[in-house]
Amino acid sequence: MAESTVASRTAELSARLDGLLARIEAARVAAGREPGSVRLLPVTKFFPARDIEILYRLGRREFGESREQEATAKVADLRALASSDEADSAIAWHMIGRLQRNKARVVARWAHTVHSVDSERLATALDAGARAALDAGERAEPLRVLLQVSLDADPGRGGVVPEELDRLADGVAESASLRLGGLMAIPPLDADADSAFARLASLHTSLLGRHPGATELSAGMSGDIEQAVEHGSTCVRVGTALMGPRPITSA
Ligand SMILES: *Cc1c(COP(=O)(O)O)cnc(C)c1O
């Protein structure tokens, strides 16, 4: 990749990042929320490791990926960068996409947080994977998981139905190698984002009653950041508004 191309992509990502952080900050202020209460999680799926490296050099230390194979390869590509001795060099990788149980073990080796846990079977597989990774010295901390909630009961999009949320949360909280971090949701395609996020917020409030440490609320994407922040999102997962349109792939 020519230097000039890297320079122009850096300028582009830097400008979009500044604009996006300003947009999130404006949403936070409009919602009357505390400074620092909403984090940006850049979503880098479909974009090359080189873009992640640029964002890393711009100061980002968390990245969201949604496909296991692609993510595992990028984690390996960026390992050298993120394991230098400098303070604050580590990357926290977030798995945000649907995850099959047979991929749980490999994801548990590199993920800081999995946002898409929606069944006890998947939680059990991740717990076993995290246990193995801890034993092998591949990770130092339990795996943090967010429970993905279905707001429309469409099984195709993933997520646990609200009626089963407490049971799943209790099971994760009791898993030795998992830590219950909070909730995640994707609003239904045809629904009003505002009412979907309001529903999510009320589920989060009741979860916090049982599990006070489950403070993360992963909600909001490029098109609905403001509504998500209005309803208490602590982590907006943003792809397109930062990276540009996703490249066309055959995958
Ligand atoms: C791709 C993706 C995002 C980012 O979506 P944009 O609309 O591009 O910001 C957020 N969350 C999940 C689960 C995704 O798969």
Side-chain angles (χ1 to χ4, degrees), residues 151-152 187-196:
L151 298 172
D152 64 351
L189 283 176
D190 52 357
D192 167 40
D194 198 62
S195 57

Side-chain angles (χ1 to χ4, degrees), residues 42-121:
V43 173
T44 46
K45 68 183 183 212
F46 295 107
F47 287 89
R50 179 178 50 91
D51 279 350
I52 302 177
E53 185 168 342
I54 290 170
L55 290 168
Y56 183 91
R57 295 195 194 288
L58 292 170
R60 309 320 298 181
R61 292 293 182 270
E62 295 187 273
F63 299 101
E65 288 281 337
S66 64
R67 301 186 306 168
E68 177 277 320
Q69 281 195 340
E70 177 187 339
T72 300
K74 288 180 190 170
V75 171
D77 282 348
L78 290 160
R79 187 146 276 153
L81 186 69
S83 62
S84 82
D85 288 337
E86 278 171 52
D88 193 31
S89 71
I91 293 176
W93 293 98
H94 294 244
M95 175 63 185
I96 64 173
R98 298 207 72 187
L99 180 57
Q100 289 167 355
R101 263 188 316 148
N102 62 0
K103 304 290 174 59
R105 200 174 182 94
V106 58
V107 167
R109 298 172 75 171
W110 54 255
H112 174 277
T113 301
V114 175
H115 289 228
S116 46
V117 174
D118 61 359
S119 73
E120 282 176 50
R121 280 150 54 98

